[in-house]
Amino acid sequence: EGEEWLGQMLQYVEANIDYVQQFIEKNLPRLSMIRPEASYLIFIDARGLELGHDSLVRFFVEQAKVGLNDGAMFGPGGEGFMRMNVGCPRATLEEAMHRIKEAYDRL
């Protein structure tokens, strides 16, 4: 009985993924995004910021005020990436992306 809800939720999450990808492409040229194949978790490639691990985490948490998962916690090769949950209301996602842009513009 939840098939209609599931379809709508999947469309909503896909639209959130599209939103983040387009926002990054338009506003954050030193970042990129790895599009998930079957999840609502995206990886932001922040290696273009050329920040060390601790500085990168501080950039997102302290400067942008956005709590993301540090890619290094997922093992070797995750350094320089940050994981973001996009399974949330669009307004929350928009606020997070604008916070990231404001911090990015101050770099």
Side-chain angles (χ1 to χ4, degrees):
E1 293 180 25
E3 191 171 324
E4 181 180 348
W5 172 86
L6 178 61
Q8 291 173 358
M9 185 273 300
L10 292 173
Q11 287 178 341
Y12 192 88
V13 169
E14 188 72 22
N16 277 354
I17 293 167
D18 291 341
Y19 169 78
V20 172
Q21 185 168 24
Q22 291 167 6
F23 189 95
I24 288 172
E25 289 172 356
K26 181 179 178 183
N27 299 293
L28 308 167
R30 294 167 56 194
L31 302 180
S32 62
M33 185 191 94
I34 297 176
R35 193 171 188 89
E37 293 182 18
S39 174
Y40 52 87
L41 302 169
I42 63 168
F43 278 90
I44 296 174
D45 182 348
R47 293 175 295 178
L49 297 179
E50 299 178 355
L51 298 173
H53 174 267
D54 293 340
S55 295
L56 182 62
V57 172
R58 279 194 305 275
F59 168 78
F60 281 98
V61 174
E62 295 175 11
Q63 295 175 27
K65 307 271 191 247
V66 176
L68 305 180
N69 295 107
D70 152 24
M73 71 187 301
F74 299 102
E79 302 86 0
F81 291 85
M82 298 297 284
R83 187 177 77 166
M84 174 184 268
N85 180 336
V86 298
C88 61
R90 175 64 62 86
T92 301
L93 195 55
E94 289 173 352
E95 181 176 345
M97 295 310 297
H98 286 288
R99 287 181 184 187
I100 292 169
K101 182 178 182 334
E102 288 173 6
Y104 178 96
D105 289 345
R106 290 190 303 263
L107 280 177

